[in-house]
Amino acid sequence: MLDNRVTRVAWLNRSSILYTGNDKWSIDPRVVLVANTKSQYSIEIQNVGVYDEGPYICSLQTDNHPKTSRVHLIVQGNISPLSVSIIFNPSLSDKLLHLCLAFGRRDSYIHQKMHTIIISDGFMSEDEYLEITGITREQSGVYECSAANDVSSPDVRRVKVTVNYPPYILDARNIGVPLGHQGILQCDALAVPAAEFFWYKEDKRLSDSRKGVKVENRETFSRVTFFNVSEQDYGNYTCVAMNRLGHSNASVILFEKFQSTSSPLLQEETTAALTPPKGPGAVHDGNSGSSRCLLCTPLLLLFFVLCLSLLLPPAQF
C-alpha cells in the first residue's frame, strides 16, 4: 500500500531492476506490471520456475527518506532429476559413484533404487548419489533415479550402467572325429566389449582361406568346422578371445576316433564260445565246483592191496 508522500517506486530482484514506475527494465517477458496507483504498486511473474525463487525488494522514495519492503518468493513445484549413462571399468577401480542431480526445492527428497532383475539383492539410497563398492559384471543393468516432493508425483529418470571386463572363456572341449568325417571345435566366451576370436594351430593362425575349413565368429562364441577331417587336421588348437581390456585362451584337441569293425552277431558268437556249458549234462561239486570222480575209491583200494602183497614175504605151503 502506498501513500501520498511516495514519489518514486521500483521493484528489484536481488541486484536487478525489474520495474521503475511504469517503465520495465527486465527483459523477461514473464514479468508484467499489475498495478501502479496511489495505493498499490505490484508486479506479476508468470509461469514461475525454481530459478525465480529468492528475495524481491519493493523500493519507495518519499519526501523524507527511502523505504524498502522485502518479499521472499518460495517456489513449490515439480522437480526433475538428471542422470547420465555410466560405463565402469573394474580394472581401474572397484567403486561406482552414480550421481542423481535434480532441479527443484532442496527440501524435496531424491532417491535411487535398482531397476533391474539382474541383481537379486538390489541397492537403495535416499541421497543424491548411490555408491557401489566392489562392483562386478553381474551388477550391470538399469538404475532408476526418482525425485519427489509434496507438490507433485515423483519424476523418474533411468540410467544404464555397463561394467566392462576382459574375456572369460566358458567352455572349450576336446573332440574325437573319425578320419574323413566332419569335426567341429567351439570356444564360448563372455566379455564387454564383445571379444574378438582367433584360432591357432602350432603358432599358425587358422582362416577361411584354408581348404575344407570354415571359421565362424559370433559375439559370444567362435566355431571351426572341418568338413573332411584328414590326418593333418588332428592336433592341438588354441582359441584366443581378446578385447581392449585383456585376453584369455584355451587349448582344444582334435583327435582321431576309431570306429568299431566287429558286428553284433560276431560278438555274440564269440561270447557264446567262451562261456562254460551249463545244464543237466554238467556235474559240479557243490563246494569246490570240480566234477565228481565216481571210480576214485575202488581204484585206491586195489592199489593199496597190490602194494601190501609186494611188501609181505611169500606164504609157505
Side-chain angles (χ1 to χ4, degrees):
M1 299 295 292
L2 305 179
D3 55 34
N4 295 329
R5 294 176 299 173
V6 176
T7 58
R8 292 182 181 180
V9 290
W11 273 104
L12 298 86
N13 178 14
R14 300 179 180 90
S15 60
S16 301
I17 300 176
L18 302 178
Y19 265 92
T20 59
N22 292 323
D23 298 329
K24 182 178 180 178
W25 286 50
S26 173
I27 61 174
D28 191 339
R30 299 177 301 122
V31 181
V32 296
L33 182 63
V34 176
N36 184 8
T37 66
K38 291 183 179 181
S39 61
Q40 182 179 355
Y41 184 61
S42 60
I43 62 173
E44 178 182 312
I45 303 176
Q46 300 171 347
N47 299 322
V48 175
V50 292
Y51 291 110
D52 298 319
E53 184 172 337
Y56 289 81
I57 301 173
C58 179
S59 177
L60 309 175
Q61 183 67 43
T62 64
D63 295 334
N64 297 328
H65 54 78
K67 294 181 179 180
T68 59
S69 178
R70 182 183 295 267
V71 177
H72 191 92
L73 176 63
I74 299 176
V75 178
Q76 290 186 336
N78 297 340
I79 59 174
S80 299
L82 297 180
S83 189
V84 295
S85 295
I86 301 173
I87 297 179
F88 175 75
N89 187 350
S91 64
L92 302 179
S93 173
D94 64 347
K95 184 179 294 185
L96 169 67
L97 185 63
H98 175 206
L99 297 177
C100 183
L101 307 178
F103 291 104
R105 288 194 42 77
R106 300 305 300 169
D107 56 359
S108 62
Y109 68 89
I110 303 172
H111 71 272
Q112 302 170 81
K113 64 181 180 179
M114 194 62 194
H115 193 71
T116 177
I117 60 174
I118 297 177
I119 305 176
S120 59
D121 296 335
F123 297 92
M124 181 74 178
S125 174
E126 295 186 357
D127 298 323
E128 294 183 0
Y129 64 90
L130 173 65
E131 182 176 309
I132 303 174
T133 303
I135 193 169
T136 62
R137 64 175 181 265
E138 289 80 10
Q139 291 165 336
S140 297
V142 178
Y143 289 75
E144 182 179 281
C145 173
S146 176
N149 57 14
D150 296 332
V151 178
S152 62
S153 58
D155 196 1
V156 177
R157 296 290 186 272
R158 291 176 177 85
V159 56
K160 182 178 181 180
V161 176
T162 302
V163 180
N164 293 343
Y165 56 93
Y168 173 74
I169 294 181
L170 299 174
D171 190 22
R173 299 181 182 180
N174 302 332
I175 183 171
V177 179
L179 195 64
H181 287 64
Q182 177 177 291
I184 298 176
L185 301 179
Q186 183 163 319
C187 179
D188 300 317
L190 294 179
V192 175
E196 293 184 76
F197 291 92
F198 306 94
W199 286 90
Y200 295 88
K201 182 185 180 184
E202 299 175 355
D203 300 330
K204 185 178 180 180
R205 183 178 169 183
L206 295 183
S207 64
D208 286 333
S209 60
R210 181 174 170 180
K211 186 177 180 180
V213 177
K214 182 180 180 181
V215 180
E216 299 176 84
N217 290 331
R218 297 292 185 268
E219 185 174 347
T220 58
F221 71 90
S222 180
R223 180 185 297 144
V224 179
T225 303
F226 301 88
F227 295 102
N228 189 4
V229 175
S230 64
E231 291 285 353
Q232 292 74 22
D233 295 327
Y234 294 124
N236 190 9
Y237 292 82
T238 302
C239 171
V240 179
M242 180 183 303
N243 67 7
R244 58 184 174 85
L245 299 178
H247 69 276
S248 181
N249 60 76
S251 179
V252 184
I253 298 177
L254 179 64
F255 60 90
E256 184 175 3
K257 182 179 180 181
F258 296 97
Q259 290 182 307
S260 176
T261 57
S262 59
S263 64
L265 180 59
L266 180 60
Q267 293 178 355
E268 184 179 349
E269 292 177 352
T270 304
T271 304
L274 297 176
T275 303
K278 295 181 179 180
V283 181
H284 297 279
D285 184 85
N287 296 324
S288 63
S290 60
S291 299
R292 289 184 182 273
C293 183
L294 300 179
L295 301 177
C296 289
T297 302
L299 290 176
L300 287 175
L301 290 175
L302 179 61
F303 178 76
F304 177 75
V305 172
L306 291 175
C307 292
L308 186 61
S309 62
L310 292 175
L311 292 176
L312 293 176
Q316 300 293 329
F317 297 98

